[in-house]
Amino acid sequence: MDLRQLRYFVAVAETRNFHRAAERLNVSQPPVTVAIRKLESELGEPLFVRDPRGVALTPAGRAALPAARDAIAAAEQLRDVVRDGASGLRGRLRLGIIGSANSDLLPRVIPAFCKAFPDVELVLAEMNSVEIVQAIAAQQIDVGFIRLPMIEAAPVNVEVIEHDELVVAMQATDPLAGRKRLALAELADRPFIFFNPVSVLNVITHIACQKAGFAPRIQQQAMQVQTVLSLVEAGLGIALIPARSARFTSARLRVLPLAEPIPIELGMAFAQDPSPLARNFVMSARQNRDSL
């Protein structure tokens, strides 16, 4: 039994005539007759009662017709799913994200992608930049947002998706909070809230402090920007955070630019030979990264 036989069976059942069924199918009549006979032989029951005026369904044929239609519809649906999957219109996209991308970048790129590709299931996994790059290289995720520069080399494509800079977050009651900008060296004697050691921001902040002539006194470390800000708000120290995250600070905090800006970049990483799903996401992210 195959789909061609089922299509021929449905056509004959609906037209009640082998000749008209063949015309509908755009084939000659003999193949239709042979296909129906073979189908009846395989099923062990006659599907039609034949007479000079045409054909009528037997009880077995009437029972088989809905199932035949469902099988044809299922096969067509499968073909559509395969086609959509091959073009990146359907499937599961695994996206790795760092904590500092959650609050600002994701609201700019995720809604637009979900609207453009409603049949794609988006699975988000929060990791650090090193883990994201390793997971893409191991084909465990498809795309990831990472802090640049990459700490470890890996066979992945990376492009800059966002430019930013570090700013100082401190309590609103801090004696320096009223300044318009600060030199990093002025904070040499302050306790710092650092990002986790595996974070690229940790490395960048260490290097910036060294260039400013001091080794930072690290009071606490955290992975999320929101956690870092909460620790600053609790009076445990000051922190250098991405400027784009500053809009999420409370009224109890002040954010000041540095006299000598420390540029940072957010990158989008994906496989060297990305899947259609990944290509569509990368294209959508490029188009919508500046939407807010």
Side-chain angles (χ1 to χ4, degrees):
M1 184 189 310
D2 56 37
L3 286 173
R4 180 181 58 84
Q5 291 173 317
L6 296 181
R7 290 193 179 94
Y8 286 7
F9 164 61
V10 170
V12 174
E14 291 177 349
T15 61
R16 302 296 178 94
N17 185 281
F18 277 82
H19 179 70
R20 288 197 295 271
E23 289 181 338
R24 176 195 287 188
L25 296 165
N26 197 29
V27 297
S28 60
Q29 182 174 332
V32 178
T33 303
V34 171
I36 296 301
R37 285 176 179 170
K38 184 177 180 182
L39 181 61
E40 290 175 323
S41 175
E42 292 176 356
L43 295 174
E45 293 289 341
L47 300 174
F48 297 101
V49 176
R50 298 159 177 79
D51 59 46
R53 293 174 297 177
V55 296
L57 287 166
T58 65
R62 287 194 296 273
L65 184 57
R69 286 170 172 157
D70 289 345
I72 294 170
E76 292 174 349
Q77 183 181 18
L78 176 61
R79 183 172 54 247
D80 292 342
V81 168
V82 171
R83 184 186 64 244
D84 289 350
S87 58
L89 300 177
R90 187 188 301 267
R92 173 181 291 185
L93 180 77
R94 302 158 299 177
L95 178 64
I97 56 174
I98 56 173
S100 56
N102 291 350
S103 57
D104 191 58
L105 179 63
L106 295 188
R108 285 181 275 138
V109 299
I110 297 299
F113 175 78
C114 292
K115 182 178 180 180
F117 300 94
D119 293 324
V120 174
E121 177 187 0
L122 197 59
V123 180
L124 277 66
E126 190 167 340
M127 311 176 183
N128 61 56
S129 296
V130 173
E131 291 171 338
I132 288 173
V133 170
Q134 292 173 344
I136 293 173
Q139 299 182 344
Q140 295 170 345
I141 63 174
D142 303 292
V143 185
F145 293 122
I146 64 173
R147 279 290 169 198
L148 298 176
M150 288 173 52
I151 296 177
E152 296 181 3
V156 300
N157 289 323
V158 177
E159 62 181 61
V160 176
I161 194 169
E162 181 177 273
H163 296 277
D164 202 355
E165 64 181 56
L166 292 180
V167 293
V168 182
M170 59 175 52
Q171 288 183 312
T173 56
D174 191 289
L176 298 178
R179 298 271 295 277
K180 291 185 177 181
R181 63 184 63 248
L182 291 170
L184 186 55
E186 295 180 82
L187 306 173
D189 61 343
R190 298 296 191 92
F192 275 79
I193 311 298
F194 259 51
F195 285 92
N196 192 284
V198 297
S199 169
V200 176
L201 292 179
N202 181 293
V203 177
I204 293 175
T205 304
H206 264 293
I207 294 173
C209 291
Q210 290 172 1
K211 288 182 178 180
F214 69 96
R217 179 159 56 93
I218 302 173
Q219 184 72 18
Q220 297 287 339
Q221 297 183 95
M223 180 69 72
Q224 301 286 346
V225 173
Q226 292 84 351
T227 306
V228 170
L229 291 173
S230 295
L231 295 174
V232 174
E233 191 172 325
L236 297 182
I238 62 172
L240 297 184
I241 64 169
R244 288 180 178 270
S245 301
R247 64 191 182 99
F248 300 100
T249 57
S250 72
R252 292 183 291 274
L253 294 178
R254 290 291 182 272
V255 176
L256 303 175
L258 290 165
E260 296 183 4
I262 303 171
I264 57 175
E265 294 176 329
L266 196 67
M268 180 166 53
F270 49 96
Q272 292 180 336
D273 184 20
S275 67
L277 277 172
R279 284 197 297 269
N280 287 342
F281 182 86
V282 169
M283 174 191 67
S284 178
R286 289 169 180 159
Q287 294 172 346
N288 296 285
R289 60 188 174 187
D290 298 321
S291 60
L292 292 180

